[in-house]
Amino acid sequence: MRHVLSVLVENEPGVLSRVVGLFSGRGFNIETLNVGPTLEDGLSLMTITTSGEEQIIEQITKQLRKLVTVVKVVDLTHLQSVEREMVLIKVNAEDERRAEVLRIADIFRCKVVDVSGNDLTLEITGDQGKIRAIVSLLQRFGIKEFARTGTVAMRRSMQVD
Amino acid sequence: MERTGAQVLLECLLQEGVESIFGFPGGAVIDIYHHLPEYPALRHFLVRHEQGAIHAADGYARATGRVGVCLVTSGPGATNTVTGIATAYMDSIPVVIITGQVPTPLIGNDAFQEVDIVGISRPCVKHNYLVKDVKDLAWIIKQAFYLARTGRPGPVLVDLPKDVLQAKTVFEYPESISMRSYNPNLAPNRRQVRKVTELLRRSRRPLVYSGGGVISSDAGEELTWLCRTLRIPVTSTLMGLGAFPGDDPLWLGMLGMHGTYAANMAVGHTDLLLAVGARFDDRVTGKISSFAPSAQVVHIDVDPTSIRKNVNVDVPIVADCRQALRGIREELEICPDLPDWSEAHQPWLEQVGEWQRDHPLRYTFSEEPIKPQFVVEKIYELTKGEAIITTEVGQNQMWAAQFSKFHRPRTFLTSGGLGTMGYGFPAAIGAQVAFPDKLVIDIAGDGSIQMNIQEMATAVSYNIPVKIVILNNGYLGMVRQWQELFYAKNYCSTCMHLNPDFVKLAEAYGAAGFRVTRAADVERVLKEAFAVPGPAIVDVVVEPEENVYPMVPAGAALTDMLLV
């Protein structure tokens, strides 16, 4: 099962390779990994999506907590949380198809961030389902380039059953 | 007063109570060596290979329970310690490794003797540091020692660039440590402890399975109290030998691949397995699905990652073993209507006793060639368990574990997790440095002793009177045994055709050398070797194709044993 882990780490050189090395060295899988500094000095937040059986996920979270540079690990999977990912898609949009691409972009509330005679570059944010949906819709026009950030996630303030 | 980084480091070591450093100089650490004579309280032992230094620091740590210290230069000096770091990591041994590094402006430039040792060692250290500013040096050293010895102990590496060692600062040793990301849990959860006492009360066939954690947390006494009071039989891992007295009737011997019949059968039939400071290594469990099939499992370990890593656990207790065992004792002492333990466990103890009687460890004696097990027995007889025994890795190690008895913690030093050939001799040097008046014996094979034999020069030059007993069968015996049993006797590359003359080798280094070929001479020669004032090698020519039994083939159930 897919899990989203929110990992607070000391912001110091080598911390990323400690985390990544833990996954590769123990044969765990990373699907996406996103890192950025927090508002608190010296701390960074990583969002890691991974998958595996419960026992593996338990090992991953425990092993992460054991790293001296890891301050906190939260598995967001069983909590209500907000998940977003940003993607840049450069899609074929020659004259006769341009309007159709723009219509799809509009439906998905994408932003057009670059344009040329032959293509459009769209910026889209959303959860994994939304990203999957627009990618599958745009594929028939031909996607030239594709760049994604990986998931960032946060626990919702209200945990309503 | 301003001091250089090198002096700050040495001041820190003094503050940490370090007495002995095992090391090898080089360009990057020359500043440390330059200032070393100013600190006569820090004894430095010059080894002949950096692997010797780290194993010696590790042996010192295992024998004393204190942090071992190893000091090497950058590049090859640093990489030569990696095997020893991994050895200490796998066995949770507190060691601080100081490595030199090229000056900070050269880092990343492929400078002479530059290597990214922080990167290389990352998977096999508890933590590591690259010091970039001399102002950080003191607190980093303080943290390094703290991390090495607390929680689940382990090796911590500190990489010191040459310009940091030369830069000046005012030395101030921090008084306390606060790390928001490192707070090992030591006290057991009360509710979990209560669950354990409840299980103990109901169990009719309990078994204690203890490991190295009992030794590193000094919980031997608590363990012994629990087992003797509740009349619970005890088995342990290789790493746990010595925590429970080896001459107690409740002692079953080691379990696992080369464990005793009684220990492995007990695991197969217990209804309550109390695992204390052990991590369910594959050499212990055999086939996981048939490990302790009818037992509820209690697992006490200070490291949460050990719990449920390999086996399912009914009652996990994340705590220091000693505190957890004390917690159980306190809970039992206030518990009303406890059963009469002797009575409750009598049928179980009888069953276990029957297994012990029917299938003891044994071998067939022969006068010539000598049986290796006989040599180990003789060593035990002569030392009565008072010596510190180290081992190399392989058959020699298993026979040492099987045919000696260990009565006290920290008297059996062996590379358990990593299985590092070449460990025993330098580790013995480290242990002997800590206990100059004790008899320290490395039980070795002819293969593994050659992996760090150069340390004989260290032993001779500091008159460290370690005794090496080589069980010389002319083979890489354990691999040969596997080839015999599972690979149709294809003895490919396991015959040591050209062993040196170990007696002459000892003499070439200035040590004493002895050779024995007949069982009748073993005792006399061992006595003679143990009595010489300096280091000695006893080359015992043993039966070449003797095997270690019992044996559980890799991946088989523990109760599926090959007996003699």
Side-chain angles (χ1 to χ4, degrees):
Chain A
M1 185 187 159
R2 178 173 172 274
H3 282 249
V4 182
L5 306 177
S6 181
V7 185
L8 195 64
V9 299
E10 303 277 357
N11 183 1
E12 60 177 51
V15 65
L16 181 63
S17 79
R18 279 182 214 279
V19 169
V20 172
L22 166 69
F23 277 79
S24 62
R26 294 190 179 268
F28 304 143
N29 180 41
I30 296 182
E31 275 163 23
T32 70
L33 170 68
N34 183 289
V35 200
T38 63
L39 292 180
E40 192 173 337
D41 251 5
L43 287 181
S44 283
L45 188 71
M46 294 185 179
T47 310
I48 302 175
T49 59
T50 180
S51 56
E53 289 168 23
E54 284 308 307
Q55 186 261 346
I56 298 287
I57 301 295
E58 184 183 323
Q59 265 301 307
I60 291 175
T61 52
K62 284 175 170 178
Q63 293 282 0
L64 281 171
R65 284 189 188 116
K66 194 167 137 181
L67 291 178
V68 170
T69 38
V70 168
V71 180
K72 194 176 173 191
V73 181
V74 182
D75 185 349
L76 294 172
T77 315
H78 303 299
L79 295 168
Q80 287 174 359
S81 56
V82 188
E83 250 184 63
R84 288 292 180 273
E85 180 168 22
M86 193 188 94
V87 182
L88 294 174
I89 305 175
K90 185 178 285 178
V91 60
N92 261 332
E94 281 160 20
D95 301 337
E96 70 275 21
R97 318 202 71 171
R98 178 161 301 229
E100 203 177 338
V101 171
L102 283 170
R103 201 155 50 242
I104 292 172
D106 193 38
I107 293 167
F108 279 82
R109 271 170 286 174
C110 299
K111 247 193 251 168
V112 178
V113 291
D114 188 40
V115 66
S116 78
N118 299 326
D119 53 48
L120 282 169
T121 302
L122 306 179
E123 170 197 315
I124 176 164
T125 58
D127 62 13
Q128 292 221 314
K130 184 171 169 187
I131 306 287
R132 264 200 304 269
I134 190 163
V135 167
S136 74
L137 278 171
L138 293 178
Q139 250 160 356
R140 64 194 164 100
F141 302 100
I143 294 174
K144 289 178 162 176
E145 274 185 71
F146 185 69
R148 60 198 294 178
T149 59
T151 301
V152 288
M154 197 178 273
R155 182 180 184 276
R156 284 189 193 274
S157 304
M158 283 177 66
Q159 295 287 310
V160 185
D161 286 337
Chain B
M1 187 182 98
E2 290 219 315
R3 290 187 170 92
T4 67
Q7 287 172 309
V8 168
L9 168 72
L10 294 166
E11 291 284 346
C12 293
L13 297 183
L14 274 186
Q15 296 276 338
E16 286 297 327
V18 173
E19 291 168 349
S20 306
I21 303 169
F22 303 90
F24 199 101
V29 285
I30 211 165
D31 287 272
I32 303 173
Y33 281 89
H34 179 66
H35 290 289
L36 199 52
E38 297 159 22
Y39 298 82
L42 300 172
R43 290 184 304 164
H44 179 268
F45 295 87
L46 172 65
V47 295
R48 294 303 184 271
H49 185 292
E50 288 87 350
Q51 192 186 350
I54 174 82
H55 288 327
D58 170 313
Y60 178 93
R62 291 188 206 223
T64 58
R66 303 170 57 192
V67 180
V69 179
C70 151
L71 165 62
V72 300
T73 194
S74 67
T79 54
N80 275 347
T81 64
V82 171
T83 303
I85 295 173
T87 305
Y89 183 67
M90 288 289 270
D91 291 342
S92 308
I93 305 304
V95 189
V96 168
I97 304 103
I98 314 279
T99 55
Q101 183 54 277
V102 301
T104 42
L106 291 185
I107 289 180
N109 288 359
D110 299 332
F112 177 65
Q113 293 195 329
E114 181 193 353
V115 78
D116 172 18
I117 193 63
V118 169
I120 288 176
S121 63
R122 198 172 284 134
C124 57
V125 291
K126 184 168 173 184
H127 194 55
N128 58 17
Y129 299 87
L130 168 63
V131 183
K132 285 191 170 154
D133 186 335
V134 70
K135 292 193 188 70
D136 296 331
L137 183 53
W139 69 258
I140 286 180
I141 298 294
K142 176 117 186 166
Q143 273 193 6
F145 275 83
Y146 175 69
L147 285 171
R149 67 168 177 260
T150 54
R152 180 177 181 173
V156 179
L157 183 142
V158 184
D159 200 23
L160 296 173
K162 182 157 176 151
D163 56 328
V164 172
L165 291 172
Q166 290 172 334
K168 289 195 164 177
T169 188
V170 176
F171 173 66
E172 222 178 306
Y173 207 54
E175 272 176 23
S176 62
I177 286 174
S178 90
M179 294 171 74
R180 57 183 161 188
S181 55
Y182 177 79
N183 296 294
N185 189 48
L186 302 178
N189 177 300
R190 192 76 192 271
R191 222 174 46 215
Q192 298 292 85
V193 167
R194 224 167 278 153
K195 276 191 205 161
V196 176
T197 54
E198 193 44 48
L199 287 175
L200 280 168
R201 197 211 296 251
R202 285 206 309 262
S203 160
R204 287 299 164 263
R205 302 187 305 279
L207 177 68
V208 162
Y209 148 48
S210 81
V214 175
I215 291 176
S216 57
S217 67
D218 289 323
E221 239 172 79
E222 284 75 7
L223 183 83
T224 307
W225 178 88
L226 184 79
C227 298
R228 282 183 174 160
T229 309
L230 273 62
R231 313 283 304 144
I232 304 177
V234 190
T235 179
S236 96
T237 66
L238 183 69
M239 291 298 299
L241 294 176
F244 188 83
D247 55 356
D248 192 293
L250 291 165
W251 172 243
L252 305 182
M254 182 171 76
L255 84 166
M257 182 173 274
H258 294 295
T260 63
Y261 181 83
N264 286 350
M265 292 304 282
V267 173
H269 291 83
T270 177
D271 63 0
L272 176 61
L273 188 73
L274 206 62
V276 192
R279 61 187 175 88
F280 297 86
D281 179 84
D282 58 281
R283 283 293 187 270
V284 156
T285 60
K287 188 177 172 189
I288 287 275
S289 56
S290 21
F291 182 77
S294 36
Q296 295 215 278
V297 178
V298 174
H299 190 182
I300 300 172
D301 204 300
V302 75
D303 177 3
T305 67
S306 284
I307 289 170
R308 266 200 286 269
K309 187 171 68 184
N310 300 329
V311 300
N312 229 337
V313 173
D314 299 284
V315 186
I317 297 187
V318 177
D320 171 73
C321 292
R322 190 177 183 189
Q323 295 196 24
L325 290 170
R326 282 190 175 171
I328 294 173
R329 177 176 182 165
E330 281 159 19
E331 196 59 39
L332 284 167
E333 280 169 350
I334 56 165
C335 222
D337 58 276
L338 288 173
D340 174 342
W341 301 109
S342 306
E343 199 185 314
H345 299 160
Q346 196 51 37
W348 172 234
L349 288 171
E350 276 169 22
Q351 169 70 79
V352 169
E354 203 177 301
W355 286 323
Q356 282 180 297
R357 265 193 315 279
D358 292 350
H359 298 283
L361 290 169
R362 59 198 172 125
Y363 64 94
T364 314
F365 175 83
S366 100
E367 180 58 36
E368 198 177 344
I370 302 168
K371 289 301 177 78
Q373 301 94 329
F374 174 76
V375 182
V376 175
E377 277 183 342
K378 274 288 165 222
I379 293 172
Y380 173 68
E381 258 177 59
L382 290 173
T383 59
K384 298 180 183 63
E386 293 299 315
I388 295 177
I389 305 286
T390 73
T391 78
E392 301 297 336
V393 166
Q395 288 184 318
N396 60 82
Q397 178 185 33
M398 291 299 113
W399 285 318
Q402 290 178 331
F403 289 88
S404 306
K405 293 191 185 89
F406 301 96
H407 305 306
R408 270 190 284 277
R410 305 192 182 283
T411 55
F412 182 60
L413 320 180
T414 193
S415 168
L418 197 67
T420 310
M421 291 172 71
Y423 169 79
F425 180 32
I429 290 177
Q432 185 84 78
V433 163
F435 297 102
D437 299 329
K438 277 207 165 188
L439 180 57
V440 181
I441 305 165
D442 174 33
I443 296 181
D446 51 306
S448 39
I449 192 61
Q450 294 185 61
M451 286 213 174
N452 275 315
I453 189 70
Q454 77 287 344
E455 296 312 325
M456 190 49 101
T458 309
V460 170
S461 61
Y462 295 99
N463 196 25
I464 298 168
V466 168
K467 316 300 176 193
I468 302 172
V469 179
I470 303 176
L471 306 174
N472 187 346
N473 55 16
Y475 277 114
L476 299 174
M478 189 57 98
V479 186
R480 188 211 56 76
Q481 174 170 341
W482 282 51
Q483 288 172 329
E484 176 190 329
L485 298 174
F486 312 117
Y487 293 86
K489 294 201 178 184
N490 178 14
Y491 294 170
C492 180
S493 295
T494 43
C495 184
M496 301 297 268
H497 286 296
L498 260 178
N499 268 336
D501 180 330
F502 288 110
V503 174
K504 281 189 187 158
L505 186 70
E507 288 166 357
Y509 277 112
F514 302 85
R515 178 168 298 115
V516 207
T517 55
R518 296 168 43 81
D521 300 328
V522 169
E523 183 171 334
R524 178 181 55 78
V525 175
L526 285 177
K527 274 186 179 162
E528 216 177 308
F530 295 168
V532 298
I537 289 180
V538 185
D539 182 26
V540 189
V541 181
V542 298
E543 161 68 49
E545 298 199 28
E546 187 69 12
N547 285 342
V548 181
Y549 286 120
M551 177 176 193
V552 178
L558 279 195
T559 44
D560 218 352
M561 268 170 282
L562 307 174
L563 298 167
V564 185

